[in-house]
Amino acid sequence: MSDIASQPWFWPAVIVSIGLPLTLIGLTELANLLVRRGSRAAPIVLMIRNYLVPVAGVLVLLSQPGAWEGSGTWPKVVWTIFGLLVIVVTINAINHLVFHRAEKGSWRDRFPTIFSDLIRFVLIIVGIALVFWWVWDADVAGVFAALGITSIVVGLALQNAVGSIVSGLFLIFEAPFQLGDWIETGGTRGQIVEVNWRAVHLDTGNGIVVMPTAELAEGSFVNLSRASDPYAAKKEVQFSTDDPPARVRALLVDVAREIPLVSDAREPSVKSVGAATYRISIPLQSPGDEGGVLDAFMTRLWYAARRAGLHLDGDLTDEWNTRDRLLQSLHKIAPSLSLRPDEAQALGETARLERFAQGEVLLRPGDIPTSTRFIIAGRVMLGVPTDSGFVQITELRRDDAVGLTALTRTRTISRAVALTEVEAVEIPVGVLDDIVRRHPSLAREIVRENDNRVRLARSALEAIGEKLDPTRRVVG
């Protein structure tokens, strides 16, 4: 037994016969663990288990004295296979550790795929050359010389293209923008939807602009999404010189504040630029909302200016709001107010006609209405704002009233928003008080309608798992 143990092949054979199975079992368990965790390293471990370790075991046996007579070819073939397997496993491990596990937004995540492929190609060529030099005593100096000369020739031929690519890469590594940002450069403004090693894709709302990264790197651009304050849409508007500036400025801010896409981080601001011209700055949630916000602002401003008796663009006429139209509208709502024709005619001195654009707010939560509006034409949505969103209560149409709580001088909890262009007759609360005193039945009708709206509000809130505050008995 001692003679066998003293043989040079004994202990390597024992190591292979015992260590090889134990190593394979350990690598199998490790691979199963990585598969359960969804790790990309599992294929690398399986490659080591299935190929590298068995070949290493064969090499241990072949490397012992007397295992192979002479300088045969097969040991070199096995060593060559082992070297190639080492190259493949190493490259896959580097690819997994450096690129596949890269954190989002890091330089490794932004590293162009073409360059990682090129690096892997160079490593493979160099690795194969070293294997043949070490195993087969091959002269690989010519290979490296050819690679060097080829690199110089390709570099000279593509110096302009490569220079642009490198400039773009530096821009990507600096990361002055990210997906979703809005940038403006050279008269082009858009949202970044894709970034690669060659170009940046901008969605301008009227198509995709593909802009080379080198062009951005060599020029200047503005990242609209990374300002300390929200991006602001600016608009100049003109009123009549007879309009009081304080009222005009307040009107502009009120109209801008009610547009849904306006940012809550900063209030709209107005500056006078002379000759009854005002410049309003409207902070936006996103630079891409500028067109929609300005369109909604100018539309609503036209209606709001006429309701306020101000003269947008110096227009001093309003052919729609006439006394004849007002009297016709009062006669339409007279049955709802229990009024005789002569009483409706008398309201022409105190009531007034109003028009609202789609999306404008007729009633806000927390307001104590100073008047009640009776709808002549159009539709209005009545709802309650909650933490989970806006809950619709009911839809108001012709002859329905907005601002029922004016009579009780209590705050409303609802919001009334115009679904279409709305025409309404506004009656001041003092005048409405006189009507109720002359016609007590009207008060009962108003109370009944308000109770009905409270019931609808309670049902709508219960449908989404919320409750109406029992102390609040008025809706709007």
Side-chain angles (χ1 to χ4, degrees):
M1 182 66 182
S2 59
D3 293 338
I4 297 176
S6 63
Q7 296 297 319
W9 51 265
F10 178 77
W11 289 112
V14 171
I15 292 174
V16 171
S17 59
I18 297 176
L20 181 61
L22 293 177
T23 302
L24 293 176
I25 293 173
L27 291 174
T28 301
E29 294 299 322
L30 177 60
N32 292 335
L33 176 63
L34 294 176
V35 169
R36 288 194 297 269
R37 293 183 176 180
S39 173
R40 294 178 178 267
I44 300 175
V45 175
L46 290 174
M47 187 180 298
I48 295 174
R49 185 200 67 178
N50 296 336
Y51 304 105
L52 197 61
V53 172
V55 174
V58 174
L59 282 178
V60 171
L61 296 178
L62 291 179
S63 300
Q64 302 310 309
W68 195 270
E69 296 298 334
S71 56
T73 302
W74 283 108
K76 293 184 179 181
V77 172
V78 176
W79 273 108
T80 303
I81 294 174
F82 181 77
L84 296 177
L85 289 173
V86 170
I87 293 172
V88 173
V89 170
T90 302
I91 290 176
N92 280 276
I94 293 174
N95 189 57
H96 167 70
L97 295 175
V98 176
F99 298 108
H100 285 170
R101 299 180 60 184
E103 296 181 359
K104 186 174 180 60
S106 65
W107 70 268
R108 294 182 298 173
D109 180 56
R110 300 191 303 270
F111 197 79
T113 304
I114 187 173
F115 281 90
S116 61
D117 293 339
L118 181 60
I119 292 173
R120 282 195 291 269
F121 175 76
V122 172
L123 290 177
I124 290 173
I125 296 299
V126 172
I128 291 176
L130 292 176
V131 167
F132 276 85
W133 167 74
W134 180 52
V135 176
W136 300 91
D137 293 327
D139 184 10
V140 297
V143 174
F144 289 107
L147 285 176
I149 294 174
T150 302
S151 300
I152 294 174
V153 172
V154 172
L156 291 175
L158 302 177
Q159 56 181 335
N160 293 331
V162 172
S164 299
I165 293 174
V166 172
S167 300
L169 285 178
F170 286 152
L171 180 69
I172 293 176
F173 290 153
E174 184 184 352
F177 47 70
Q178 60 185 3
L179 291 180
D181 283 357
W182 283 80
I183 65 173
E184 184 173 9
T185 175
T188 300
R189 184 178 66 181
Q191 185 178 29
I192 299 175
V193 295
E194 183 180 346
V195 178
N196 55 48
W197 63 273
R198 192 190 69 84
V200 175
H201 296 218
L202 302 178
D203 185 357
T204 63
N206 193 27
I208 301 296
V209 174
V210 180
M211 183 168 295
T213 51
E215 183 177 332
L216 289 176
E218 295 170 359
S220 60
F221 60 89
V222 179
N223 190 331
L224 304 176
S225 299
R226 292 197 179 183
S228 56
D229 291 327
Y231 177 79
K234 301 182 185 299
K235 184 69 176 180
E236 287 191 2
V237 293
Q238 189 171 15
F239 283 77
S240 168
T241 55
D242 294 331
D243 294 331
R247 288 185 58 199
V248 172
R249 296 165 70 99
L251 176 72
L252 293 174
V253 171
D254 288 342
V255 172
R257 190 186 290 122
E258 293 292 343
I259 299 176
L261 298 176
V262 172
S263 173
D264 296 330
R266 186 162 60 91
E267 282 287 305
S269 59
V270 180
K271 293 182 179 180
S272 299
V273 294
T277 302
Y278 305 83
R279 181 185 296 117
I280 183 167
S281 177
I282 308 174
L284 306 180
Q285 296 177 5
S286 169
D289 299 331
E290 180 174 10
V293 167
L294 290 180
D295 177 67
F297 173 75
M298 293 305 299
T299 301
R300 298 183 185 188
L301 182 62
W302 187 91
Y303 289 86
R306 278 159 172 73
R307 292 196 305 271
L310 301 176
H311 308 93
L312 179 64
D313 296 327
D315 187 0
L316 304 179
T317 62
D318 188 354
E319 297 180 356
W320 177 83
N321 194 350
T322 62
R323 181 171 177 81
D324 289 341
R325 188 184 296 272
L326 173 61
L327 294 178
Q328 292 175 7
S329 301
L330 288 172
H331 284 292
K332 290 180 181 179
I333 67 171
S336 301
L337 296 174
S338 303
L339 296 178
R340 299 188 305 272
D342 59 321
E343 292 176 321
Q345 186 85 9
L347 287 180
E349 302 300 327
T350 53
R352 67 171 188 162
L353 278 176
E354 291 184 331
R355 276 192 296 185
F356 293 85
Q358 179 183 359
E360 278 198 279
V361 177
L362 284 74
L363 186 69
R364 299 170 180 81
D367 284 353
I368 300 178
T370 58
S371 61
T372 300
R373 296 182 175 94
F374 292 87
I375 301 174
I376 303 301
R379 296 181 293 117
V380 174
M381 180 177 63
L382 192 66
V384 177
T386 66
D387 295 336
S388 57
F390 186 77
V391 180
Q392 181 174 348
I393 297 175
T394 187
E395 186 176 297
L396 306 179
R397 296 176 178 269
R398 177 177 172 177
D399 296 334
D400 288 331
V402 180
L404 295 179
T405 60
L407 282 173
T408 57
R409 273 68 167 180
T410 51
R411 299 184 184 277
T412 180
I413 63 171
S414 61
R415 180 189 298 272
V417 181
L419 295 176
T420 63
E421 182 184 68
V422 173
E423 299 178 8
V425 175
E426 183 189 37
I427 299 180
V429 63
V431 176
L432 199 60
D433 285 339
D434 294 337
I435 297 175
V436 169
R437 279 193 291 267
R438 295 196 304 269
H439 304 279
S441 60
L442 177 60
R444 292 192 293 269
E445 290 295 328
I446 292 177
V447 171
R448 186 180 298 112
E449 176 61 21
N450 187 73
D451 289 342
N452 178 55
R453 295 182 185 181
V454 170
R455 179 181 56 80
L456 293 174
R458 183 177 292 107
S459 299
L461 292 174
E462 289 176 351
I464 63 170
E466 297 194 19
K467 293 183 178 180
L468 182 66
D469 187 349
T471 62
R472 309 302 294 272
R473 294 292 301 168
V474 291
V475 176

